[in-house]
Each structure stands twice: as structure tokens, then as C-alpha cells.
Amino acid sequence: MLNRINALFMLAVGIVMALVWPAMAQDKPRSGGELIFAVPSEPPSYDAHQEETFGVIHPVAPHYNTLLRTDPTDKTGTKPVGDLAESWTISSDQKTYTFKLRSGVKFHDGSDMTSKDVKASYDKIMKPPAGVKSLRAASYGAVESVETPDAHTIVFKLKWPESSFLLNLASPWNFIYKADILAKDPHWYEKNIMGTGPFLFVEHVRGSHWVGKKNPNYWDKGKPYLDSYRALFIKSSSAQVAAVRGERAHIQFRGFTPADRDSLVKALGNKITVQESPWDCVLMVNMHHDKKPFDDKRVRRALTLALDRYTASKNLSRIAIVQDVAGIQVPGTPWATPPEDLEKLAGYGRDINASRAEARKLLKEAGVPEGFSFTFKNRGVPQPYEPVGIWLIDQWKQIGLNVKQEIVEASAFHSMLKRGDFEVSMDFQCGFIVEPDLDIARFLAVSDANYGKHKDKVMDELYLKQARATSPEERKKYLRQFEKRLLDEEVHVFYTLQWHRIIPHNAKVRGWMVTPSHYLNQQLDTVWLAQ
């Protein structure tokens, strides 16, 4: 009976969404109003080049432009389009990228934006001066030089072809800063705002709010539609939900739980719109390769074979922000593994009884006794770590393992991973754009995020081959080989379930589309409020 009620309720949600979306698609944008949104985290600094939290992107991105951006109408978040770049060409050998910049773009102080500013910004990202951090310098190892033949042309020359280069340039973190300011003080942007974006900076009251107002001289005429925006810093999940329910905030851009979604829909009815997407975030399991018995790939394979991912997808998606069964790329995006290929990998077969029988056999062959005990370390964050951790321990019990879970405080979790102070541990990854180069580089032997300490030259070579492949089909071939070695042949790590992004928001909010990344579509230039 309960399942029937749940099914009817979700059908009702679907009907509401079906009614709202056509209206949203057909409505003409109107100008005016203030968008109010909740942000669960506050910016450590204002400099996106050195930060990695959405607490920077959500309040700060509307003040800036990037060279390229991802298409705000593309739900996969994988299509690069021009932002400050009006057009571009790529040489036949795919090693020279020439960008023509828009004319008439001005910084908020009224000065002209030119190729000098774009070059200075990328120089800071790729080769930061002493004492200045850049979290993304390693992403541009292929760049040989950046040249500015004239004020509105910028040329990137590469050492080798790189499939991900355009999307890398579309990174939401690559704010374009003013060259003259950077020359005087490369730390200036850590505490100050000066961009070319659709909104001017008004104020930041730490612990309270951030306000931006419409840039009347914005280069994209007619935009932004909003008069202003206000970001409210609210840490508590329940307080964020209460703000949306009480219509004190229109939206929270990171995501809510299934229960939060359902309560908001129940409370607000057709005043709420729900957008959902697979999320470029995933929980993985690390096994330390230098610690017995996890140095034996038969044991590692047994741990992934024990997992009934398909049943978990149905059950956990009701209570946690996870849903899809996936490989190394987000389902529904260009490089995702076809389901028929996924099912051939260890732990992804549909016959869970056969998988668990194989797991028990492998453990016996490896000399692991029935009832073997080990400690699984999990991050002290409720969603989705807690429910996924409980599920993992139950699954391993099905193959005769006795696993104790140890919760590590969130602030200490990364340090624990870096020290290698674990046998088996949860790990996580969130990407800012769905792109293999960015999502799977952590599995290379030299990566700082290779916490299990595996050393696999075959995988390292496959990574380079897929990164430098010049055709999509060739790249897919290498990606499938890389995935099979990582998750099946060697089981260096394994994936649990893909996160699922749920954005229930006030139905007045139009012109914003959910993507698999909570870092994308945050310039707010396309967003408007219906009456």
C-alpha cells in the first residue's frame, strides 16, 4: 500500500513538472526583480583561480565572464560556447586555437577588456607567480604558449592535441581579471571584485549575505534580466528548505534531498518547479594496495562483486542524493558507458547471486577466512555518505565479511586519505564539467588523489591515448579499455552510485537549467522572474 501511495505521489509531481515546463519554455523573459538564493557555504576568498568550493562560484560568478562557457541551454553541460570569445578556429593539426574576442566589452570600472586581460588571467592560472595559488595549473600542461597578435585576438598553441582543451577553457573557475590590477598585485582579487560580468558588486556581509546589481553597460545588450540578486549564506539544510518553503528564497543551486523535494512539492504545489539531473559527483571505495589482503586483486574484485547496485539504485534514491548505476562518466553525457557494456564489468551484472558466489570463491582462493573483519572509514557528512556506507557494510556481510564502520570528521577526512591511514575507505569526486580528462586523471599513478597507491603503467598509457585521440570513436575505445582495467581487471577502486541533483525551486524562476554540475550556469545573465 505504501509503495502505491509513493508511486501516486511521484506521478503527481511529474504532472506538476509537465504542466510547468511547457509554460517556462514558451514564456518571454521579463526584466526586473531580485533573485534570492540560499548558499550553504561561504567563499574562503573571492579568487576563483585558487578556490574549489561552490561557495565562491554561486555568489561571485555573476560578476565575471570567462573566455568560453558551457551552453546554458544544454542539459548535459558539455557544449562549449563563446562568452568573451565571439568565435574561434582550430588548426588542422589541432594544436593551435585562435579566438576572436568581442569588441566593446568593459570592466566594471569602465576600462576596455582586451586580449591582454585574457592572457594575464590565463598566465596567472597556468603559471602563477610565487606565493599565488592556482588549483588548475596542471590542467594546462599541453599549452606551449599564449599569444596576443592584436587587442581582440588570443592564440593558444599546444604541445600536442588535447581532446578536452575547449571544455577546459570553458571552466567556470577561469574568471577573466584585469591585467593592470594583476601586474600591481596578483593577490588583489582574493579580497576584491572587478570583472566584466552581468552584475556589479554591491556588498558582502560575512555570515549573512552577498548582493549584486544589474550592470547597465553589459556587453550582451538586453541582459541581465534581473535588477539584482541576493545570496543568503545558510548552512543548515533544514533552514535552506524552510527559506524556499516560506518563499524567503527562490532557489538553492547545489541540491536538496528526495525528502526535501517531496516536502516542498507537498507544501507549495504549483508554486514549485522541480529540475533533476544526474550529478557529476560520485562516491567511490578506495582499497589500500600496500595493505593485506587488499594488495590482492581477487579480494578487491570480491568487494565490488558483492554490491547489488541496481536494487540499491531503486531504494537509496528514495532517501539519499544518489541514483544512477554508472561507470567512469555521468550517464546521458557523450562519453558515458552504454548499459550493455557496463553490465560486463565486475559488480555490474544483473545476476547478484552469481556475482556473490564468485565473490565468495575469490575470497577463499585468496585465503580470506569466513567472517574476516576490517574497518571501513567513512566521511562524517550525512548526505549521501551515511546511507551509502550503511548499504556497503550490509552488502559485504552477504559474502561473509564482518565490516566495522569508522566515521571520520569531515575536516580530517582528506588528511586521513593523504596519509594512507586506512584499509578500505570511502572517497568522492565532484567535477565542474563532465569531461574524462578532468574526471579520471585522479587514477593516474602520479596523482595526489591516488590514495590507494596503485601503480599501473597500462592505465597511465591509456589515459594519454584517450586524451590525445583526435576522433570521438577512437577516444571512446580507449576510455572503455581504461574503465575495464580500473573497475574490472585490476579493481583499483570501484564506484557506488552516481549522485543525483535535485533542484526544487520557486516556479517564478525562469531561464535557468539544471546540469550535472553545481558549478555551471551561475552567471545568472539568462535568469528572470515571472510575475
Side-chain angles (χ1 to χ4, degrees), residues 307-486:
L307 307 185
D308 186 351
R309 290 170 169 84
Y310 301 101
T311 299
S313 174
K314 295 175 185 177
N315 295 334
L316 287 176
S317 62
R318 297 172 184 167
I319 61 171
I321 54 172
V322 294
Q323 181 166 301
D324 289 313
V325 177
I328 59 173
Q329 284 281 270
V330 178
T333 58
W335 309 108
T337 317
E340 61 272 18
D341 290 341
L342 198 61
E343 290 177 18
K344 297 173 185 176
L345 303 177
Y348 290 89
R350 293 283 182 172
D351 188 341
I352 188 59
N353 292 327
S355 292
R356 286 177 178 161
E358 182 185 349
R360 285 179 174 273
K361 181 182 176 184
L362 288 170
L363 290 174
K364 187 175 181 180
E365 289 176 359
V368 176
E370 181 80 17
F372 175 74
S373 179
F374 65 87
T375 298
F376 170 69
K377 294 192 176 183
N378 199 357
R379 191 179 184 209
V381 175
Q383 277 289 345
Y385 295 84
E386 182 179 313
V388 172
I390 292 170
W391 168 69
L392 285 170
I393 289 170
D394 173 74
Q395 299 293 285
W396 291 328
K397 186 177 180 180
Q398 308 304 314
I399 59 169
L401 297 173
N402 181 23
V403 183
K404 174 188 174 184
Q405 180 170 220
E406 179 183 329
I407 303 299
V408 179
E409 186 180 345
S411 61
F413 191 76
H414 263 114
S415 296
M416 177 274 295
L417 287 175
K418 289 177 181 178
R419 291 194 310 270
D421 184 20
F422 65 91
E423 297 172 290
V424 180
S425 174
M426 192 78 88
D427 190 11
F428 71 98
Q429 171 173 285
C430 278
F432 61 83
I433 292 178
V434 181
E435 158 54 47
D437 279 4
L438 306 177
D439 288 336
I440 64 176
R442 65 181 294 121
F443 303 123
L444 300 180
V446 296
S447 170
D448 290 339
N450 174 8
Y451 301 121
K453 305 302 180 187
H454 64 261
K455 299 174 180 66
D456 193 326
K457 291 183 179 179
V458 173
M459 276 202 348
D460 293 351
E461 291 169 1
L462 286 170
Y463 177 86
L464 289 177
K465 286 179 179 179
Q466 67 80 30
R468 300 178 188 183
T470 55
S471 79
E473 289 309 311
E474 182 186 19
R475 194 179 193 200
K476 286 179 183 178
K477 179 185 75 173
Y478 291 130
L479 282 169
R480 297 290 75 81
Q481 291 175 14
F482 181 97
E483 180 177 61
K484 183 171 178 60
R485 188 162 182 89
L486 176 72

Side-chain angles (χ1 to χ4, degrees), residues 104-253:
V105 178
K106 293 185 180 294
F107 283 98
H108 295 164
D109 65 357
S111 59
D112 292 331
M113 187 283 303
T114 71
S115 58
K116 179 179 73 170
D117 302 297
V118 179
K119 175 175 169 53
S121 299
Y122 272 95
D123 284 346
K124 177 176 176 290
I125 293 168
M126 296 188 295
K127 298 177 182 178
V132 176
K133 289 193 302 181
S134 172
L135 288 185
R136 293 157 196 97
S139 299
Y140 297 94
V143 177
E144 185 171 56
S145 65
V146 181
E147 301 170 2
T148 54
D150 60 57
H152 292 96
T153 305
I154 188 159
V155 181
F156 291 81
K157 292 189 175 180
L158 308 187
K159 302 169 190 172
W160 53 75
E162 188 166 67
S163 299
S164 62
F165 190 64
L166 276 181
L167 269 177
N168 237 332
L169 293 180
S171 166
W173 300 102
N174 293 359
F175 295 172
I176 300 304
Y177 294 153
K178 188 172 177 178
D180 291 348
I181 291 175
L182 291 177
K184 292 176 183 176
D185 181 4
H187 293 282
W188 189 88
Y189 277 96
E190 295 170 17
K191 297 180 180 179
N192 300 279
I193 301 291
M194 176 58 66
T196 60
F199 292 90
L200 306 176
F201 175 70
V202 175
E203 67 175 359
H204 173 204
V205 178
R206 193 160 290 279
S208 176
H209 63 271
W210 183 294
V211 178
K213 68 178 181 179
K214 182 173 186 172
N215 178 2
N217 301 311
Y218 191 49
W219 57 265
D220 194 354
K221 300 307 178 186
K223 292 179 181 175
Y225 303 115
L226 299 167
D227 285 337
S228 61
Y229 72 89
R230 181 178 296 264
L232 305 177
F233 299 113
I234 305 174
K235 290 184 179 180
S236 164
S237 297
S238 59
Q240 295 161 29
V241 174
V244 176
R245 184 188 297 116
E247 300 182 68
R248 298 185 301 277
H250 296 103
I251 191 169
Q252 186 262 72
F253 287 111

